[in-house]
Amino acid sequence: MKKIGVLTSGGDAPGMNAAVRAVVRKGIYHGLEVAGIYNGYQGLIEGRIEPLGLGDVGDIIQRGGTKLHSARCPEFITPEGQAKGIEQLKKEGIDGVVVIGGDGSYRGAMALSKHGIPCVGVPGTIDNDIPGTDFTIGFDTALNTVIEAIDKIRDTATSHERTFIVEVMGRDAGDLALWAGLSGGAETILIPEEAYDIPEMLDRLDKGKARGKKHSIIIVAEGVMSGNELAQLIEQETGIDTRVSVLGHIQRGGSPTARDRVLASLFGARAVEVLLEGKGGRAIGMRNNQVVDYDVTEAFGGSHEADLSLYTLSKELSI
Ligand code: ADP
């Protein structure tokens, strides 16, 4: 292994830059040449590849988004697209690639590994939904963004004695809603992994009001339903007028938290080590506070399981 590439793909996540920095610096530390592949697999196909030196990744550890840019590239799902990517890597003399992204990006990494270019996946997504790792890069930052928003909304909710619905990202995974709900003291959390019970939710709202609660906050993951749909449902059933806040893309941006920077640094460095060991088709993760590498196909099969004990605890604490 003499030269490695690094790319970011799929949805961006805060901390991706810190991971790129770690890959570049760890690679150079071990005497490797490192190339940045811009715009994900699209840039790979088009040969948008540039050498990255120590200074090129200076001053990015604290920046959100990704310096390498990201893209979705349907062409790369096809064998023809993958062949074009392989050709570019061979042309550049790249012997291995670190792919920072979600499980879609991992599938691309698997395809490259099967074609003889070892690839290692680093989990970068705010959804925390990659099987095989307890945490992904970007989740903690997004969580803190959501918490900050909830705290602000709570001020208005209290002042006006209102029920607020906060819609957060998470199409299939409820981790963001779950962790934000627990740490934001929400009365109710709706996540895709748990069947919701509207009468029970309404009952909780009533009971809270009866014991003098001045406001209620409901967190809904977008995969369950939209905040506006939920507001309509509540109004139809109870006549209660709610206010809806859809947090949207602010959840994806911003300077990464210390935790995400540490995670990104650990993961990026480990990915380089795995490539140096000559292993491809691997994914990096954190399990019980230990950095691990595992077969990337493990990330495809199942789904990342939400910690439902947090769900239960949140209910117990928000009575
Ligand atoms: P994420 O990595 O965040 O899950 P996507 O699912 O959009 O995001 O995947 C990002 C990119 O990974 C896709 O645009 C595509 O280029 C590549 N990709 C996704 N699935 C496959 C696949 N089955 N084979 C090869 N490449 C894939």
Side-chain angles (χ1 to χ4, degrees):
M1 187 88 27
K2 291 206 167 58
K3 184 173 179 182
I4 60 171
V6 54
L7 65 82
T8 51
S9 164
D12 67 311
M16 279 183 161
N17 276 327
V20 170
R21 171 183 179 272
V23 170
V24 171
R25 299 241 167 123
K26 180 80 173 170
I28 293 173
Y29 176 82
H30 286 287
L32 297 173
E33 272 182 74
V34 188
I37 302 163
Y38 287 78
N39 303 88
Y41 294 115
Q42 188 64 43
L44 173 61
I45 287 177
E46 293 168 11
R48 271 182 257 159
I49 301 172
E50 304 284 340
L52 288 176
L54 293 173
D56 294 318
V57 290
D59 203 24
I60 65 168
I61 195 167
Q62 80 284 17
R63 292 190 203 283
T66 160
K67 176 191 163 79
L68 294 179
H69 301 278
S70 189
R72 310 224 190 242
C73 174
E75 191 184 352
F76 198 72
I77 298 172
T78 67
E80 296 77 26
Q82 290 163 15
K84 285 186 197 169
I86 295 284
E87 201 181 301
Q88 295 290 354
L89 291 172
K90 292 204 166 138
K91 199 169 100 190
E92 292 286 334
I94 293 173
D95 311 307
V97 181
V98 177
V99 171
I100 305 162
D103 60 339
S105 305
Y106 278 19
R107 287 176 194 276
M110 185 66 208
L112 290 176
S113 297
K114 277 192 179 151
H115 285 93
I117 308 263
C119 283
V120 178
V122 167
T125 162
I126 64 161
D127 293 330
N128 206 38
D129 61 350
I130 300 189
T133 183
D134 296 340
F135 293 104
T136 60
I137 298 166
F139 172 65
D140 187 62
T141 307
L143 177 58
N144 278 284
T145 300
V146 174
I147 289 304
E148 209 184 314
I150 293 175
D151 290 349
K152 287 179 177 163
I153 287 166
R154 183 186 280 273
D155 289 345
T156 304
T158 310
S159 303
H160 290 268
E161 301 192 15
R162 276 196 184 282
T163 298
F164 264 79
I165 296 170
V166 182
E167 180 194 314
V168 304
M169 282 185 169
R171 277 196 295 267
D172 305 308
D175 269 31
L176 200 51
L178 195 53
W179 286 65
L182 180 62
S183 48
E187 273 66 28
T188 300
I189 306 170
L190 301 186
I191 55 172
E193 292 90 340
E194 269 295 288
Y196 57 87
D197 183 344
I198 296 290
E200 193 241 23
M201 181 182 84
L202 299 175
D203 190 46
R204 289 169 71 79
L205 290 180
D206 278 349
K207 283 196 180 128
K209 209 167 178 182
R211 76 159 177 83
K213 273 199 180 195
K214 296 286 180 241
H215 62 255
S216 279
I217 292 177
I218 300 169
I219 309 291
V220 58
E222 63 183 340
V224 177
M225 70 177 95
S226 75
N228 286 315
E229 279 171 314
L230 183 60
Q232 273 176 13
L233 204 65
I234 293 175
E235 180 153 21
Q236 271 165 21
E237 298 288 324
T238 64
I240 295 176
D241 183 27
T242 57
R243 289 288 180 273
V244 180
S245 238
V246 180
L247 299 187
H249 278 83
I250 61 159
Q251 294 163 91
R252 288 254 288 267
S255 178
T257 57
R259 193 179 155 77
D260 272 333
R261 297 182 203 191
V262 170
L263 208 61
S265 302
L266 288 168
F267 285 178
R270 179 62 172 264
V272 173
E273 283 171 0
V274 170
L275 284 179
L276 283 168
E277 289 162 16
K279 294 194 271 185
R282 309 291 292 171
I284 308 297
M286 179 73 84
R287 291 184 193 167
N288 301 322
N289 252 345
Q290 298 292 319
V291 179
V292 295
D293 67 275
Y294 58 99
D295 194 313
V296 73
T297 57
E298 276 182 50
F300 305 151
S303 55
H304 168 86
E305 290 189 7
D307 181 353
L308 294 179
S309 70
L310 296 183
Y311 186 77
T312 310
L313 179 62
S314 157
K315 279 196 170 176
E316 289 168 2
L317 300 186
S318 64
I319 44 175

